[in-house]
Structure formats: C-alpha cells, structure tokens
Amino acid sequence: MRAVVIQQFGDPSGLQVVELPEPCPAAGQVVIGTEAIGVGGVDAMIRRGTLGRSGSSTGVVPGSEVAGTVTRVGDGVDRAWVGRRVWAFTGVGGAYAERAVAAVADVVALPDGLSSVEAVTLGSAVPVAHFALAHGRFAPGDSVLVRGAAGSIGIAAVQLAVRGGAGAVAVTTSSQRRGSRLRELGATHVLDRAGDGDATAPPSFDVVVDVVGGPDLPSFLDRLAPNGRLVSVGMVAGFPPADFGVRLLETFQQSRSFATFSLSTVPVADRDRVRSESFTAAAGGGLSAVVDDVLPLDSAAEAHHRMDAGDVFGRIVLTPR
C-alpha cells in the first residue's frame, strides 16, 4: 500500500510517499480503508522531530485520525464492524496511508449524511474544544476568547461557545478575511494576534481557550476577568516563558487561573459520546466542518508547507487518491 513516511526530520521535504506492506490487525484492532485523513498540528511537530517519543527514528508514518470503511478485524473484534463507515484515532502516527490500523476502542461509527472529510475535520477538534470549555468551567453568559481561532480546534470552540450561550465570543486571528469567516460562525469580536483591534470587545474574559501558547501567552493571562480561567490546549507557537506564572501571582487577588488540557485525560466513553453527538449534529446542519482544502496523499508535503506558513483556515484533509 502507499503511505507517507518521514524520511528526514525537519521541513516538509522530508515527507515521502513509499510502498509499505499491507497492515495486519492484532487482537482488538481493525484495519480501515482510508477515505479521508486529517492533517493536524501534532503531525507537524512529529515531522520536525520536536515530539520526542515519535521523533526518535525515521520511517514514521504520521497522522492520528482517519475516516473510511473497516476492511478487516483482529481477534476478539466483532465481525459486524467489517463494511461499516467509521472515524478512528490511530495514535500518534499511522494515518497517512491507504489503509490504517486502529484499536476498536478508538473507532466510532459514522452517521448517514456525514462525509469522511467532514468526520476527520470534526472528530478530534470538537471533543477537544468541548472538554476544554468544560475544563474552564464555561457557563451560559460567560465571555469567551479563543486565541488562535483559525484552526479546527479554535473553530470548534467558537461554535460550541455560541451554542452554549456565551455572552460574547472574541477570537484572535491573522487577517480580516479570516475574521469575517469566524463572524459567520458566530464570533462577536475579532482581534488581531496581540488581542487588540476591536474597541468594542470586552476588556477581560471569563474563559480563554488558547491554542497558541508561545512567548505572548502571559499577556493573555492579563486579559482574564476576576476568577477568569485560561485553558491551554496547544502550543503551536512553542512554550511560554518559564516564568509566565508570575503574571498570575502578581494579580493574586483577582483569583485568575491557568490550566492545561489534553483529551487523553477524558474517559473513552465520554469522548465517544461527545464525538458521536458532534457527528450527528454536523450531519443535521448544527455544526459546520470547515475544510480548507482536500489534497491527495502525494501532496502531504504541500499540506505541511501551508500549515507552516499559517495559510490554513480550518483543516486540510488528505485522500488516498
């Protein structure tokens, strides 16, 4: 089968399409004939060699989520899965291929009316956004700021905050064009990357969902209201300064807080429930899957170039052909 591997860590030119043996499912696993493959920020970190546990040797197949049809099952797996359309999490790698292996515990059946491309656009992003808002104790009427809202997680957080009755939903993004698209999804205020640019935006926020991290994170701690909560769900701009917590201590009497959030801390049953609900909502038009582009597997390097350049709004999806 054809697959993309990391022949050399660093820039996207290290991604190459090769022929690999057909996968064989172990006990508790399924093989999926891929129809759509999500391209995400973690994939780029693995490609650069900055995610230690996956960047130790070349030959890694990147990618963590696919949608398609189950073709084979391993021992202990109900054969009724064969022929079913599913979304699946493949772990920290293995998705950029014509066929992918996943544990059956990480497989969710897709409803009629939802395409495979839509599934990989929503399958990881919506649960992360949902539980990040919950981690930040989001409640109706709260003001919310989504920092780095142009990616799939940020877009999901905007939509979920709106659906949850937020009093205001502000976003940071890099251009007015992206800002206009986020307004169409429900954002009420559009800010630049520094958090400025809209004099009508709230001066502080009850909840900040931060996908960006990096050296400017402390300034967004300053944008928290009393009892405000910043939840970090990503570090696409790198780690914040080592002393960033000082900003919280300097405003001790404001009772502000910072937390990280990873979907791996959520019980599988809860993740699957939210994921299934999001698929049903999208199939019925209640959630939008924002797809930047659909590219063939051969164009994986192009997809990564565009991510590195910050040219993606929503998600890029790869297809086997």
Side-chain angles (χ1 to χ4, degrees):
M1 70 169 185
R2 296 167 68 251
V4 174
V5 299
I6 302 173
Q7 298 282 38
Q8 181 176 343
F9 292 106
D11 67 57
S13 65
L15 296 172
Q16 300 292 326
V17 178
V18 301
E19 288 287 337
L20 293 179
E22 290 286 334
C24 183
Q29 293 183 331
V30 301
V31 175
I32 299 160
T34 59
E35 298 168 3
I37 302 155
V39 178
V42 173
D43 305 349
M45 293 176 65
I46 292 172
R47 184 209 78 224
R48 297 182 194 116
T50 54
L51 195 62
R53 58 181 176 175
S54 295
S56 58
S57 63
T58 55
V60 173
V61 177
S64 63
E65 64 179 310
V66 301
T69 301
V70 176
T71 59
R72 297 176 64 186
V73 298
D75 291 344
V77 178
D78 188 344
R79 286 195 57 80
W81 280 106
V82 175
R84 297 184 72 179
R85 293 183 60 248
V86 299
W87 173 95
F89 174 68
T90 62
V92 294
Y96 287 21
E98 292 180 317
R99 279 161 293 283
V101 175
V104 71
D106 292 323
V107 172
V108 174
L110 295 179
D112 293 338
L114 187 76
S115 72
S116 293
V117 168
E118 291 171 319
V120 296
T121 302
L122 300 169
S124 289
V126 174
V128 170
H130 172 93
F131 288 109
L133 287 167
H135 203 60
R137 304 192 308 280
F138 166 70
D142 279 351
S143 56
V144 177
L145 170 63
V146 181
R147 182 178 178 228
S152 56
I153 294 173
I155 288 170
V158 168
Q159 294 186 77
L160 294 180
V162 171
R163 292 180 71 191
V169 180
V171 296
T172 69
T173 190
S174 60
S175 71
Q176 285 301 311
R177 181 182 64 83
R178 291 182 171 194
S180 296
R181 296 187 67 182
L182 288 162
R183 283 188 184 275
E184 292 171 0
L185 294 167
T188 56
H189 303 279
V190 176
L191 309 175
D192 60 23
R193 286 178 170 174
D196 301 319
D198 185 344
T200 68
S204 60
F205 297 90
D206 298 305
V207 179
V208 176
V209 176
D210 192 323
V211 187
V212 181
D216 295 330
L217 185 145
S219 66
F220 287 88
L221 293 172
D222 294 339
R223 300 295 295 274
L224 291 172
N227 298 303
R229 294 83 66 191
L230 187 150
V231 180
S232 171
V233 297
M235 294 285 172
V236 296
F239 289 110
D243 62 350
F244 77 93
V246 171
R247 299 294 266 271
L248 294 175
L249 295 176
E250 289 174 343
T251 58
F252 192 89
Q253 292 181 314
Q254 298 293 309
S255 299
R256 295 164 166 168
S257 61
F258 168 87
T260 59
F261 172 74
S262 168
L263 197 59
S264 63
T265 61
V266 177
V268 172
D270 293 336
R271 295 200 309 256
D272 286 351
R273 173 182 54 80
V274 169
R275 187 169 283 127
S276 293
E277 290 172 353
S278 72
F279 289 156
T280 300
L287 276 177
S288 295
V290 179
V291 180
D292 184 273
D293 205 353
V294 180
L295 300 172
L297 200 59
D298 292 351
S299 297
E302 177 188 342
H304 277 243
H305 274 298
R306 288 169 60 176
M307 280 202 306
D308 287 356
D311 291 337
V312 178
F313 183 83
R315 169 149 281 198
I316 291 182
V317 176
L318 300 176
T319 58
R321 298 291 179 186

